[in-house]
Amino acid sequence: MYNNIHKIIITLICISFACTAFYLRSFINNNILPAKEAKMQERINNEIKIIQNSYNKSLYKDAKESSHYLLTSHLSKMNTKNIEILKLLKFSSESKLAILNEKDNEIIDSITNLKEILNSSNTNIKTLGLIRIAESYKAINKNKKINLENSNKYLEQAIVIDKENNLNNSDIYYLIAMNLLDIYELEKKYNDKNEAIEYLKYNITELLKTNNNIHLSKSYINLSLGYVKLASIEQGRKNLKNASNSMENALELIPRNIDPVQNARIHRMLGDIFYLRSKMPKLPNEAGPRYIQDVVRFEAKAKREYRKAEQMGIYIDIIPGVKKHKEEEAALRKKLNSINDSSGGGPMITVEDKK
């Protein structure tokens, strides 16, 4: 009798222990491990955001090293999407560093690495991979026309994905247009010029069907930059006029109360365009007084736009070519003032000095 009771007690203890073990195992699997996994994923996601922020701030070396660390240390703990994002950040950073150092061999190596991203099933990641490859080809100094054409081949693939998935990525259309304008500058084939502007206008037409003023404004900015590029090649006055019109369209879409910083940046770019217009050379049949009036008028318009931008702390020239113009102008003014000081005269007043 005692032995039977003892066996029953032992059996109950074993059953109780088994139940407790089963419960603990179930609790760990259903609560502790998922919570731990979720915490790890949150940490990885936060790290990826930091790396993306570094890349956006042009801290390419930091972005490259940090993404490499995560890929080597926590690869087994990441999902496919995070792995692909980190590879994109790593390879893109390598490409940017190679481009900054103007090392063609390293740029070509980065293109090889970036092609791995093209296997992604994620349309956004694949599109960004195509854009980064295109940017890399564009930066190769040798065989410029061939590499511009290679760049556009990848951008054309990106456009197909963009249209199929309604991504509305304005960068693709801008980059392919600028490549075509670079080719036009080399060969002066009007088809390239016309096609470039059509790409930019098409993007605007598509975005007009949406209610996304931010993307539409960016597309108007891109069209404006296209005209600025064209103005550096030919018909400077006409193309800068088109550029200012397009930039003013962008400005209307982003008022100061909606996005004060972007509004200020647009004012700065508009000021840059007016500044470039004030530097256009005098036409052969243009009257001198009329030319001087034009110069003074556009200088005043540029200053007005600059003041609006400076209210939000935007002081840096954005439009390509403006900084170089101002540096040359400052150097010339310094030289003239030095000559006049040494000869005992007062500073000379040029057209650009008139306010």
Side-chain angles (χ1 to χ4, degrees):
M1 179 72 177
Y2 176 79
N3 288 336
N4 289 337
I5 292 172
H6 185 68
K7 288 179 181 179
I8 290 171
I9 292 171
I10 292 173
T11 301
L12 290 173
I13 291 172
C14 290
I15 293 172
S16 176
F17 179 79
C19 289
T20 302
F22 178 80
Y23 172 78
L24 286 173
R25 183 179 178 183
S26 178
F27 180 80
I28 291 170
N29 288 337
N30 295 329
N31 294 279
I32 295 177
L33 290 180
K36 187 177 180 181
E37 178 69 19
K39 191 173 182 179
M40 174 59 72
Q41 287 302 317
E42 183 181 359
R43 179 187 166 194
I44 290 172
N45 289 336
N46 288 335
E47 289 292 329
I48 290 174
K49 287 179 182 178
I50 293 171
I51 296 171
Q52 286 176 323
N53 191 43
S54 295
Y55 181 86
N56 292 337
K57 290 182 177 179
S58 301
L59 302 174
Y60 302 124
K61 186 177 180 181
D62 290 347
K64 172 189 171 183
E65 292 175 352
S66 298
S67 55
H68 177 76
Y69 169 77
L70 281 182
L71 285 168
T72 53
S73 301
H74 300 290
L75 185 64
S76 61
K77 301 170 186 175
M78 290 187 287
N79 56 37
T80 301
K81 182 180 177 181
N82 282 344
I83 291 172
E84 290 178 346
I85 290 173
L86 285 168
K87 284 184 176 181
L88 175 64
L89 286 166
K90 179 186 175 184
F91 300 150
S92 296
S93 298
E94 290 173 349
S95 173
K96 292 291 188 182
L97 289 169
I99 291 170
L100 288 171
N101 293 323
E102 297 182 348
K103 294 184 177 180
D104 285 357
N105 291 336
E106 292 182 10
I107 296 173
I108 292 169
D109 290 341
S110 72
I111 290 172
T112 301
N113 290 332
L114 281 164
K115 286 181 178 177
E116 183 181 334
I117 301 299
L118 303 187
N119 297 321
S120 174
S121 59
N122 185 299
T123 53
N124 281 314
I125 292 174
K126 186 173 183 177
T127 299
L128 287 173
L130 289 165
I131 291 173
R132 298 291 176 260
I133 291 173
E135 290 174 336
S136 300
Y137 269 115
K138 181 183 176 72
I140 298 174
N141 293 314
K142 295 179 181 178
N143 303 318
K144 202 63 185 177
K145 185 195 170 188
I146 293 173
N147 286 311
L148 287 169
E149 290 174 343
N150 284 333
S151 177
N152 273 0
K153 286 178 184 177
Y154 285 92
L155 291 171
E156 285 165 1
Q157 294 179 44
I159 283 177
V160 172
I161 298 173
D162 184 83
K163 289 179 179 178
E164 289 176 350
N165 297 277
N166 296 317
L167 299 177
N168 294 322
N169 191 323
S170 300
D171 290 339
I172 306 170
Y173 296 89
Y174 171 70
L175 291 170
I176 198 169
M178 298 306 279
N179 283 350
L180 287 167
L181 290 176
D182 283 337
I183 295 172
Y184 174 67
E185 188 173 11
L186 293 172
E187 297 193 337
K188 292 298 188 295
K189 292 183 180 178
Y190 285 93
N191 285 343
D192 293 326
K193 176 180 73 171
N194 296 335
E195 189 177 358
I197 299 302
E198 285 306 311
Y199 267 116
L200 296 170
K201 287 183 175 179
Y202 171 82
N203 185 226
I204 289 173
T205 301
E206 290 300 300
L207 285 169
L208 282 170
K209 300 173 185 177
T210 71
N211 293 319
N212 195 322
N213 283 353
I214 294 174
H215 286 172
L216 182 57
S217 176
K218 185 176 182 181
S219 294
Y220 275 118
I221 291 171
N222 288 342
L223 178 59
S224 179
L225 294 174
Y227 279 124
V228 170
K229 170 69 175 177
L230 198 50
S232 70
I233 303 170
E234 63 182 24
Q235 296 181 305
R237 298 187 181 201
K238 175 184 175 182
N239 285 307
L240 287 176
K241 174 65 174 174
N242 289 335
S244 62
N245 288 341
S246 186
M247 195 64 75
E248 285 168 351
N249 287 336
L251 189 61
E252 288 180 8
L253 292 166
I254 307 294
R256 180 153 295 194
N257 64 316
I258 297 296
D259 189 339
V261 175
Q262 181 63 1
N263 177 275
R265 281 178 56 80
I266 298 172
H267 276 296
R268 185 74 200 190
M269 287 186 281
L270 190 54
D272 285 347
I273 293 170
F274 289 141
Y275 173 81
L276 289 175
R277 175 62 181 83
S278 75
K279 299 304 169 190
M280 285 290 101
K282 180 177 173 293
L283 298 176
N285 60 346
E286 188 175 18
R290 172 64 185 275
Y291 171 69
I292 293 174
Q293 286 176 1
D294 255 10
V295 169
V296 173
R297 180 163 62 92
F298 282 104
E299 283 182 343
K301 293 178 77 169
K303 287 182 179 180
R304 184 167 62 248
E305 297 302 326
Y306 285 155
R307 281 195 295 269
K308 292 176 181 178
E310 288 165 4
Q311 289 173 8
M312 285 301 299
I314 307 295
Y315 296 93
I316 300 173
D317 299 312
I318 301 172
I319 296 291
V322 171
K323 183 179 179 181
K324 183 180 178 182
H325 256 299
K326 290 185 177 180
E327 287 175 349
E328 291 173 351
E329 183 182 86
L332 178 59
R333 185 178 288 110
K334 183 177 180 181
K335 182 179 179 180
L336 292 172
N337 287 338
S338 176
I339 292 171
N340 279 280
D341 288 343
S342 63
S343 63
M348 292 179 65
I349 299 177
T350 65
V351 170
E352 290 81 2
D353 292 321
K354 294 183 179 180
K355 306 302 177 189

